[in-house]
């Protein structure tokens, strides 16, 4: 699966990917929980739409995908993002940007 190298990460593409509430919620969830299955529990989004969101995150360089048998697991490329755009991920994930005090990212949907 294609994903850009560290040096090829583009700020405009990353910001575009993070601009969608569903993708932002997926990134926040990975930041808290680590790897995510392609259909995480509690996500009320059609599977085809969710698949498209994962693709956009991967192609932007925000996530990496690995295969385990038939399953695919997505993880945040925190080190690459922090090295290329220092402070960006911290700002996006800051508590002040959380959707609500309960920190339930799916309330955005």
């Amino acid at each position: 699966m294609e994903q850009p190298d560290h040096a090829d990460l583009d700020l405009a593409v990353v910001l575009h990917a993070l601009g969608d509430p569903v993708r932002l919620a997926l990134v926040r969830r990975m930041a808290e929980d680590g790897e995510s299955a392609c259909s995480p529990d509690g996500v009320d989004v059609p599977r085809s739409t969710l698949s498209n969101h994962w693709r956009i995150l991967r192609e932007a360089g925000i996530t990496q995908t690995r295969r385990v048998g038939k399953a695919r697991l997505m993880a945040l490329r925190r080190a690459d993002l922090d090295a290329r755009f220092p402070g960006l991920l911290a700002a996006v994930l800051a508590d002040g940007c959380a959707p609500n005090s309960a920190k339930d990212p799916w309330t955005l949907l």
Side-chain angles (χ1 to χ4, degrees), residues 2 5 11 13 23 26 30 38-39 42 47 66-67 78 83 91-92 95 106 109:
E2 286 191 34
D5 289 331
L11 182 59
V13 174
R23 292 191 292 268
L26 291 169
M30 282 184 293
C38 57
S39 294
R47 198 169 189 162
R66 69 182 182 99
R67 290 184 179 149
R78 185 183 298 265
V92 169
D95 282 342
W106 303 111
L109 305 178

Side-chain angles (χ1 to χ4, degrees), residues 14-29 43-45 49-50 53 56-57 92-93 97-99 104-109:
V14 169
L15 290 175
H16 170 74
L18 293 172
D20 181 88
V22 173
R23 292 191 292 268
L24 183 57
L26 291 169
V27 168
R28 286 185 173 145
R29 179 179 271 201
V43 178
D44 190 25
V45 175
T49 302
L50 191 56
H53 286 305
I56 291 169
L57 289 170
V92 169
L93 300 174
C97 296
D104 180 6
W106 303 111
T107 59
L108 287 172
L109 305 178

